[in-house]
Amino acid sequence: MTHAPLFDDATLTALAERFGTPLWVYDLTEIDAAVGTLRRAFPEAHLAYAVKANANRAILRRLHAHGVGAEVITVGELARTLRAGLDPAEIVIGGPAQDRALRDLARRSGVGRVSIDSASQWRDWCADPGGWPVGTRAFVRVNPGLDPATHEHMATGQATSKFGLAPWEALELARQVADAGSLAGLHVHAGSQIDDPSVHDGVLEVLAPLYAALPEADELDLGGGFAVPGFPYDVLAERVGAFTQERGLRLWLEPGRALVATAGLLLARVLHVKEGVRRHVIADAGMADLLRPALYGAHHPIRAVGAVAARPAHAGPTDVDGPLCENADRLGRDVVLPEVSAGDLLAVEQAGAYGLAMGSHYASHTRAAEVVVDHGGEARLVRRREALEALWADEVDEVDATVSA
Ligand code: LLP
């Protein structure tokens, strides 16, 4: 994966002129490179892309072209994934809910795997009129109860999180699933944006005695969570490889961020610059487009685009803020930027994962457009800018208030 700027300034300037801002720009070639990195490290693994990172159809199709499957947690994600043509056999259903609508579509489409998060979830699947889907195999999700050394919101593998079952409970459920003839193996997603593979050592330590008690299990789903940038895949591959080979397990991985984060940027335009105790650069994109800085204090590199980039850096601290009315509405704090002024363009990088996917209509902000570029070719619009009408399209007039959802 490259960490050089994704696109040159002339390209970005032209894209902003042509499609307007804010604008999501994705480089499909960067996704090819990311798949290559994972495949080189884990040549035998099933890769199930965590669709929550970015559900754009062009991206799903590109991943499908590489034989990548999907990890989905809602009926919406499953529907979009099937619509993009992904192979149901390579789809893993996960998540703590798995409601009736998701179960029904999963059963109709014949998904390959379901990761069971609780005993009651297993009962729900079995109690449906269709029963457990024929041909689908189950993982049982284990909560390894360790510190995944990441932001609290993403620390799914700590004992207090809602995900998975404590090891001894997971074993009990896995025995039941095995007795029903449906067990593939165990699943752990210890957290996201993990940069230290020793977290996975802890996970494997928890899993070892469980696999010893589950001779039927022949697969392991280690989830995703690989930090961008810079996860040491070679280290993880060696340790996981030893574990799976010793036990004859087929490996599944569910990378989200690692496949798409570096492939996308958010292009925004400066609306105002306010000097003061702190310089505030007010951009036309903010937390309703890219929530990560507000929600996790996440850092995304921000650079000025075009001739302005050559100017010297502004001396004092600069915040790049969004257009909405709350302090958290910002794209970056203490950003090093040149003297910019209204009309200048900013590129917010490493934003291909959990960007538009977590966007909202807060303050009646409409969703930005998305374009993809493939091998440096002509940009293609893959989602048009949301029209104002989308804000009220689903509202029901008071006279029609009896109409049900
Ligand atoms: N598998 C499971 C079961 C997951 O819950 C997730 C992410 C993934 C795979 C993919 O994780 P990744 O490889 O993308 O780290 N909104 C946050 C990330 C939350 C991830 C939730 N689960 C963010 O913007 O950083």
Side-chain angles (χ1 to χ4, degrees), residues 96 98 115-127 140-141 164-166 169-170 172-174 176-177:
Q98 301 180 7
S115 170
I116 301 289
D117 189 78
S118 62
S120 95
Q121 215 178 53
W122 171 246
R123 282 196 297 274
D124 280 356
W125 277 98
C126 296
V140 171
R141 183 160 173 178
L165 292 159
E169 289 170 342
E172 205 178 295
L173 182 60
Q176 275 182 49
V177 177

Side-chain angles (χ1 to χ4, degrees), residues 270 272-273 275 279 281 304-305 308-309 311-312 314 318 337-342 344-346:
V270 175
H272 306 285
V273 178
E275 306 292 346
R279 184 173 65 147
V281 172
V305 173
V308 63
R311 293 188 204 149
H314 178 83
T318 294
L337 273 184
E339 298 294 350
V340 288
S341 47
D344 288 338
L345 281 176
L346 301 174

Side-chain angles (χ1 to χ4, degrees), residues 148-394:
T150 185
H151 190 284
E152 210 230 302
H153 294 351
M154 303 179 208
T156 48
Q158 61 189 357
T160 51
S161 94
K162 70 180 170 192
F163 297 98
L165 292 159
W168 64 93
E169 289 170 342
L171 182 57
E172 205 178 295
L173 182 60
R175 285 257 35 99
Q176 275 182 49
V177 177
D179 291 346
S182 303
L183 187 73
L186 302 174
H187 173 211
V188 175
H189 172 76
S192 272
Q193 191 59 4
I194 293 176
D195 56 11
D196 178 0
S198 68
V199 170
H200 299 91
D201 293 339
V203 168
L204 297 177
E205 248 173 64
V206 170
L207 292 181
L210 305 184
Y211 272 99
L214 292 167
E216 302 87 342
D218 58 5
E219 297 189 347
L220 162 64
D221 183 345
L222 255 198
F226 315 120
V228 171
F231 186 83
Y233 291 105
D234 45 345
V235 178
L236 181 67
E238 206 182 301
R239 296 176 187 174
V240 174
F243 188 92
T244 51
Q245 272 158 34
E246 208 176 296
R247 295 165 179 82
L249 302 174
R250 188 80 198 268
L251 181 66
W252 290 69
L253 295 172
E254 305 171 339
R257 188 187 329 266
L259 291 176
V260 294
T262 58
L265 61 76
L266 174 61
L267 203 51
R269 214 178 266 287
V270 175
L271 298 177
H272 306 285
V273 178
K274 299 172 74 174
E275 306 292 346
V277 184
R278 181 171 272 276
R279 184 173 65 147
H280 289 280
V281 172
I282 314 287
D284 60 1
M287 68 191 289
D289 301 283
L290 179 63
L291 183 62
R292 305 192 69 256
L295 190 59
Y296 314 116
H299 170 75
H300 288 266
I302 302 180
R303 67 184 172 92
V305 173
V308 63
R311 293 188 204 149
H314 178 83
T318 294
D319 287 356
V320 177
D321 299 291
L324 310 184
C325 291
E326 67 174 82
N327 279 338
D329 183 30
R330 72 169 75 86
L331 296 171
R333 259 223 136 144
D334 294 323
V335 182
V336 178
L337 273 184
E339 298 294 350
V340 288
S341 47
D344 288 338
L345 281 176
L346 301 174
V348 185
E349 297 183 321
Q350 294 174 16
Y354 305 108
L356 187 136
M358 294 178 80
S360 75
H361 280 146
Y362 183 37
S364 293
H365 185 75
T366 46
R367 292 207 162 89
E370 294 179 292
V371 300
V372 296
V373 177
D374 193 1
H375 285 99
E378 186 74 8
R380 203 156 48 82
L381 182 71
V382 291
R383 168 191 283 270
R384 65 178 84 86
R385 186 171 304 285
E386 201 167 44
L388 278 182
E389 289 72 20
L391 296 172
W392 53 81
D394 297 325

Side-chain angles (χ1 to χ4, degrees), residues 91-105:
I91 294 178
V92 184
I93 308 263
Q98 301 180 7
D99 63 14
R100 182 71 187 264
L102 175 61
R103 299 198 302 272
D104 285 348
L105 184 57

